[in-house]
Amino acid sequence: MSTPPQSDAEPILETRGLTKKFGEIIANDDISIDVRNDELRSIIGPNGAGKTTFFNQIAGVLPSTEGTVHFKGRDVTDEPIEERAQLGLGRAYQSNELFFEQTVFENVRVAAQTAEIGEFSFDVFSRARNFKADRAEELLERLYLSDERNTEARNLSHGDQRRLGIAIALATEPDLLLLDEPTSGMGPEATEETASLIKELRDELDIAIVLIEHDMSVVMGISDRITVLYDGSHVATGDPETIRANEEVQEAYLGGMKEEELEL
Amino acid sequence: MTLVEIEDLCAGYGTGQVLFDVSIDIEEGEIVSLLGRNGAGKSTTMRCVAGAEPPHVLDGSIRVNGEDITDTKTYKRANKGIGYVPEERRVWPGLTITENIRMAINNTTDPLDMDRVLSYFPRLQDLEDKAARNLSGGEQQMLAIARALASNPDVMLMDEPSEGLAPYIVRDVEEVITTLNEEEGLTIFLVEQNVVMAMDVSDRHYFIDQGQIVDEMTPSKLKERPEVRQKYLSV
Amino acid sequence: MSKKTSTRAEQFKNLVNGSITVPERQVDLLVVGALAALAIAMPTIAGVLMGYSGVASNVLIWMLFAVAFNLLLGYTGLLSFGHAMFLGGAMYVVAIVMNQLGPVMIVLAIPLALALAGLVAYGIARLIVEKGEIYFALLTIAFGEVVWYIANSDPGGLTGGDDGIASGLLPPLVESYRGQLSVYLGSFAVDIYWPVAAVFVVATYLLFRIVRSPFGRTLLTIRENEQLARSIGVNTRRYKIHTFVISAVFSALAGVLLVIVNQNVATSYLFWETSGEVVMMTIVGGMSSFAGPIFGAFLWYLGAEFLSGWQAIGGLRHYWQFGFGLLFVAIILIDPRNGGWGALKNSVRWAVNKYFGGN
Amino acid sequence: MASTTLAGKRWTERTVATITGMNTVWKVMYLLLGLWILLTAAVSPGLFATQFVSGLVYGMILVMIALGLSLILGLMGVINFAHGAFFMFGGYVAFAVVAQLGLPFSVALIVAPITVGLLGVVIERFLLRRLYGTEPINGLLLTFGIALMLEEAVRYTWGSAPLGYSADVFENPVPLLVTNVAGIRIFTTIVGILSVITIYLLIVRTDFGLSIRAGVQDPEMTELVGENLPVKFTLLFFIGSALAGLAGVLRGAETGIDPGMGSLFIILVFVVIVVGGMGSFFGSVVGGLLIGTAMFVAPTMLNALATTTGLPWLYLPGARRVVPFVVMIVVLLARPRGLFGEEGFLE
Amino acid sequence: SASPGDGDGEYDGSIHIGAVEPFSGVYANLGEAEVQGAELAIQDLEEEFDVDIEMSEADTEVDPDVGVRRIEELTTQDGIDVAFGGVSSSVAIAMGQWASRNDLAYIASGSHSDATTGEDCGQYMWRTASSNTMLARTAGQAMAEHADSWALIYADYTWGQTARDAVTAALEENGAEVVDTISAPLGADDYTSALNQAESSGAEAMGNITAGADTTRLCQQYLDSGLAEEMKTGGVLLEDEVLWSLGPEGVSQMGVWATVWGPSVQSGQMEEFVQRIRDEYGTTAYSRHYLGYQSVDQLVRAVVRAESVAAEDIRQELDGHDYTDVGLLDGTQQWRECDHQNVKPTYAVRARDADDMVDEDGERIWFETVTEQQGEDVMRSCDETGCSSDWT
Ligand SMILES: Nc1ncnc2c1ncn2[C@@H]1O[C@H](COP(=O)(O)OP(=O)(O)OP(=O)(O)O)[C@@H](O)[C@H]1O
Ligand SMILES: Nc1ncnc2c1ncn2[C@@H]1O[C@H](COP(=O)(O)OP(=O)(O)OP(=O)(O)O)[C@@H](O)[C@H]1O
Ligand SMILES: [Mg+2]
Ligand SMILES: [Mg+2]
């Protein structure tokens, strides 16, 4: 993780004409975006706009009906999830997806281990307990989870669980991190903390981050660029100011918003 | 006429008491909202009226349409004129939209018919046969409201209908609420964290803090007194 | 809490409560020690609790089988209802080779049995490992039935059909008199129990190491959340296939031991009821821990030997499985994951905390 | 659970889609299978027809047993391993009524299903109810234990020896198309068909099933819209168990009873349900008939192949026993969720 | 008696017998019946000799693994001197092999499989029951007289397959034709398919080569399908109890069968035996009671003669021993040395008309004897058995 920031570099992620149909329903239609390799990108849009579906297509959880996904210049459209993960695509889920019966430490350690040993390793006799332990400890520290090190994940509070999800994703040493509503379910203070954490992570680790978010204060505060999806279609992409000013976006998404809320 | 009368309600979970002598009156045709911090007891109040357990009522009484329903069995309350839109929507994920609504229609004596219910939510009409789990958050919220509406209630209890919704959908929900109130004369009892929205739609606010009703006022009055918000609502 | 030098009692309490973690190498020593102690004590335990020490070797073998099985159920989350095909299949391979080519050929039979089990498991796993839980369970039953069918139809007169194979299975160097099965090495004789116990300790320890290895830890992620496991880059399919093979090979090892000790094999070893038994042992003992299945196999034999021989309950003793069914139901209602072993651990913990003062 | 779980809605469409969507390997295989069937019909037409009809009748018995299991599985998501034991218990209650108390068979037809139904109710109320909402495997294992207990209890009460009782008027054989069929079989078939229709009308076509499904997904919410849920769960379990009991009475009258008959059938019936597609009401009906006919026709087909090719070893005696499993393996490899299975159901 | 695990072969006037029988599982009732017979034998023997006989029971279930464990347990733990029991042949053979390896005299009282005294014979294992071949040959002759052409439905496992071959040979030898042989799985629940095939074969009669509960089901379905009106029937192994559930009417259509012994065979002192079983246990005596009695009787007598419980001493006494039953059948029987098979009569019986049956007070005499075959006439020759009988 030591490449210097290079703003106009090759995009790390390119989607071309990405489309997803669930039977009759078109969840995403012809979405083409590029994400630069040090960018912090937000995706916003009303509920049901297809944001999570879009993530699922990028990560390989859902096969795309049409279109291609290129990651680090490589066509990964038909690669399975684990292949993409090994390539450096990290993902934290919208609903808390964790290894609930393992300790917080083990959750992160095993993710770090996978990054090290690859998608499959028949290493049956070395000892796992301290394997990549340092890396795990480091991440726990970073995400304020060290105190909960030995707690089983299911016993964490909701906000801590969300942070653990991010820690797991980070442990896989991603070059691109997808975060689905990282602040939902967090109180205002925690939301603020998380937002600045995300920004710091990007700066420190020098990775690209794409996040889905409904909380406009977060979105407007930390994003380099914002992409707006509406009803499965790409409406606009641009920096926060442009998006705020975009009339179509106003109409489609922000329109119902009171000034007070935008400031909250 | 007073449609809902909550009188000196005390309720709690397990051994701990959460509500202390809560009294709320709601007139027919009114939209009344209950505001308060996280954990103040808003949902608890509402669950007591709807008949969900836990909590259990320790003392006091709840009357709807003049009838005391404090001890009425849960499954019998829907027929006493109560519609309930719970926190987190709680649609049945495996049932389709129509099946979700039909569940409410089947179990009430004087329901609205399906077409009429759906006519309020054109978006749902298009998705009729889709399983609720495959709906987006906003669609699920509409479905939860449609379901409560289908039983043709006298009073609709709505617990944070705007939570987790995109700003634009919040506006839609707001619209539905006012339409129902204006066109159908539906009485609405609303719990909201989103004060802006609550102020837009309500006729009256109750404030609850640590399980006690601490104030009651109209939206216009509330606008004049920002310190009330500070006192009871800020984190 | 102020820091003060902890008493031995407190140290013990902390150990029991799991707030002290033992260094990795010591864990290994501990486990080998515990397994060896179990193996050494088993004849006595069996003699006292089950009224018959001769059953000890069977108990150990089933413990090994259950642990191997639990690698799938407890660690990977795959319920195989056809595992008898590996246990029984290996028994048949050994028996057929010895029966046809002479007892000396056991040296060839054992590796052959293990290899065949692995091969068959690999083939089956490739076909079905990605089917949903219930489908997987039923498909394993189906393959088990097919194996049973083959053995029962006595192809080429090899399996003896329903009669099974019971003669010509006394391995070289082993002699048997009035129930004493001894291995002779020159003039030095040792009860066959001890070699079996040695294999048990080694094999179970190997399984333990597998469970604690990066491979084994990865299996847990699959059991807990397959989608997330894939998202962190785990090729779940390959892990599942390999685990199925490992589990099959160790089950086959149990089968090899069983045929050496009992010197007979019959189709009943291939019934799905036999597969069902190992499922029950594992659940009753608790699938979430390594020791659970060991405990479960022990309880099963306790039921089979103690209850079924307990004259005090008269004719009822022939229905001891009723009692086991009841225990099984109770475990499912109380704690299907941690089972009897979990309950035991909790009660020890509770007792220790009570005795040394709770915190 | 998806919406069309129980209704066979659009299944014709799906069949057509399946056939057109099949790849060539499968198409060729189905073609060969068809030719083989034709060959058999040509070689021994009489026997083939007889076996086919008997197979359908036998399939109907499987359907009859599978029905209750499928109902409880499809609506409540409970994999009731004890269904086989309920079935067996039904036979024993009938034995007690007919052979021990000397009452007519018709009394057994009413008393046994009710008794077994009540047993089901007790199990549902006191045991299974605690498991709703947990992993489905827990229900499977719990009922596995119950099956064991029930079997032991029956052995204790009635012994292990096979027993039998008279089915009164239904004992006489009835000519059916090309063959004679035991009267009790015809009666079972009729009862089976009636049960399928009744269940379909009562549960699939009414909103009874809807309430149950809603109740499984979110019991509290279901009560909140005004549903008296526990009563419905119990009722459903009663119906499902009573159906098993009824099947047991009929089966026992036909072939006699023994404590092992439950475990003999439960696996077979699971195969039927899986082949049909778990959770699909129509799937179990089709699966039962398919497995039934396959079990009867397959030996004849093997025989035909052996005689025409002159390769006697092709006639695998006793292959009938593995036929269901082979059918299951083939079906599942081609269609991972069985013939009419729903995506995501219990996965 | 001997103390646990000593097995030193010393005999001190007390004998400890192990009854290793299925007390649970599908054969439980058969195991129970053998033990009932054995108990009578013990009463008689204790009266006749000055011996003290103790019997320990152990449940083999239907599982060779369990069987071996139990016989081992009885030997090492309870210190039994000799053993008998076993119904299913896989269990009996496994136990017999174990006994032979471990110097324990054991009589497989109730396993019919040829293998027991054939390729799986054992040095210290004897068999009281008639072998499969003995039954098949007896049945074959009677069946050939009963009908001219047969379709045989056989249970598809070792016993059924060997019985099928033996019956086929016997039928053909006696001038009848075997039109078709039809397999049905062991433990089949449904015989319609097989019956269809039998019917379509055009044979005059359907031969029933199944055992236990399978026999019950096949007979029941034969009756239910109305085939009884078109085809006669008969079978190779009758253990009366399995047909009791058909009732007198049903059984009256069951044709001819071979049996080890049945309540209709009341020669010698058997009438008294039947009466005693009825008095003691309230049930009709059938072959299993007889086998249990005879097995214990012979074991104990051999011990008394040898004045030793050592397996080898017992073998010396039993092998080639001619004897006349005391308390049972008339005539001379023998323990054949080459394969340890008991040389004894085997019977063919025919179902009586329902009106002629004795059916009262728990006494069910529903068959009548048609032939009594002498052992030597129907046994396999020593060469045929394939028993490698170089015992010393
Ligand atoms: N598995 C599925 N099957 C069918 N339709 C689906 C499925 N998953 C999502 N959809 C549909 O696709 C559309 C997009 O869903 P998606 O979850 O991507 O929305 P989203 O933008 O993430 O919304 P939210 O902000 O509420 O999370 C919705 O209309 C939804 O109903
Ligand atoms: N099931 C429960 N068991 C025990 N305590 C509960 C339970 N549900 C709520 N409580 C407690 O009751 C109090 C009131 O909770 P309630 O859900 O009514 O709050 P609320 O005002 O709706 O808050 P929010 O805005 O977060 O929804 C809280 O202190 C909460 O911790
Ligand atoms: Mg989303
Ligand atoms: Mg709330």
Side-chain angles (χ1 to χ4, degrees), chain A residues 61 80-82 85-86 89 93 97-102 106 109-111 113-114 117-131 168 172, chain C residues 21-25 27-28 205-206 209-210 212-215 217-218 220-221 223-225 227-236 238-239 242 246 337:
Chain A
V61 173
I81 310 174
E82 55 267 23
Q86 289 291 344
L89 204 153
Y93 286 86
E97 300 275 350
L98 305 170
F99 304 119
F100 283 106
E101 285 174 23
Q102 308 286 317
E106 179 64 14
R109 192 202 64 75
V110 82
Q113 167 187 298
T114 310
I117 65 180
E119 65 160 26
F120 179 79
S121 155
F122 197 59
D123 178 2
V124 283
F125 292 128
S126 57
R127 293 180 171 81
R129 202 166 87 184
N130 297 319
F131 193 93
I168 292 175
T172 63
Chain C
T21 43
V22 187
E24 196 74 349
R25 277 184 196 281
V27 169
D28 281 65
Y205 173 65
L206 286 182
R209 285 302 302 273
I210 290 176
R212 306 271 288 200
S213 73
F215 180 88
R217 294 286 121 177
T218 310
L220 283 173
T221 66
R223 185 199 74 197
E224 287 216 356
N225 190 336
Q227 163 112 348
L228 181 60
R230 296 186 65 190
S231 288
I232 61 171
V234 175
N235 189 332
T236 53
R238 281 183 74 187
Y239 276 98
H242 280 75
I246 295 176
R337 290 206 55 80

Side-chain angles (χ1 to χ4, degrees), chain C residues 32-110:
Chain C
V32 173
L35 287 172
L38 180 69
I40 290 167
M42 189 48 77
T44 319
I45 297 176
V48 173
L49 288 180
M50 303 172 190
Y52 175 44
S53 60
V55 78
S57 49
N58 275 323
V59 177
L60 289 194
I61 293 169
W62 275 84
M63 284 175 171
L64 174 61
F65 183 31
V67 172
F69 166 80
N70 196 41
L71 197 59
L72 276 182
L73 180 62
Y75 287 88
T76 322
L78 293 172
L79 173 58
S80 162
F81 241 108
H83 241 49
M85 75 180 132
F86 302 117
L87 180 89
M91 293 177 73
Y92 267 103
V93 173
V94 172
I96 289 170
V97 171
M98 285 173 78
N99 197 285
Q100 300 289 319
L101 306 176
V104 186
M105 283 304 166
I106 189 169
V107 291
L108 193 137
I110 293 174

Side-chain angles (χ1 to χ4, degrees), chain B residues 111-132:
Chain B
L112 298 184
D113 65 69
M114 179 80 68
D115 293 339
R116 168 107 175 266
V117 175
L118 285 177
S119 68
Y120 289 106
F121 305 95
R123 185 160 173 93
L124 295 186
Q125 245 162 354
D126 304 336
L127 301 169
E128 267 182 0
D129 286 329
K130 202 164 177 183

Side-chain angles (χ1 to χ4, degrees), chain D residues 121-142:
Chain D
V121 166
V122 169
I123 289 169
E124 194 273 336
R125 295 242 9 196
F126 296 105
L127 302 175
L128 270 176
R129 187 161 288 181
R130 296 150 181 262
L131 295 181
Y132 295 154
T134 68
E135 293 171 61
I137 202 120
N138 288 341
L140 171 81
L141 294 168
L142 180 92

Side-chain angles (χ1 to χ4, degrees), chain B residues 49-132:
Chain B
V49 180
E53 276 180 35
H56 28 256
V57 174
L58 302 168
D59 202 5
S61 69
I62 302 165
R63 274 190 300 279
V64 173
N65 274 327
E67 186 181 352
D68 190 329
I69 59 159
T70 321
D71 297 319
T72 307
K73 284 213 172 78
T74 307
Y75 73 92
K76 289 187 176 151
R77 294 205 195 188
N79 275 318
K80 308 276 180 201
I82 299 174
Y84 179 41
V85 183
E87 220 167 4
E88 292 159 352
R89 305 170 197 127
R90 302 283 287 276
V91 292
W92 294 285
L95 306 189
T96 63
I97 290 184
T98 39
E99 282 174 335
N100 262 282
I101 296 174
R102 209 159 76 225
M103 276 298 294
I105 292 179
N106 286 344
N107 287 295
T108 28
T109 41
D110 180 28
L112 298 184
D113 65 69
M114 179 80 68
D115 293 339
R116 168 107 175 266
V117 175
L118 285 177
S119 68
Y120 289 106
F121 305 95
R123 185 160 173 93
L124 295 186
Q125 245 162 354
D126 304 336
L127 301 169
E128 267 182 0
D129 286 329
K130 202 164 177 183

Side-chain angles (χ1 to χ4, degrees), chain A residues 44-73:
Chain A
I44 62 172
N47 302 90
K51 304 180 295 294
T52 301
T53 307
F54 185 54
F55 265 20
N56 282 336
Q57 287 174 276
I58 297 172
V61 173
L62 287 174
S64 297
T65 317
E66 266 169 58
T68 57
V69 180
H70 283 256
F71 181 60
K72 291 183 169 172

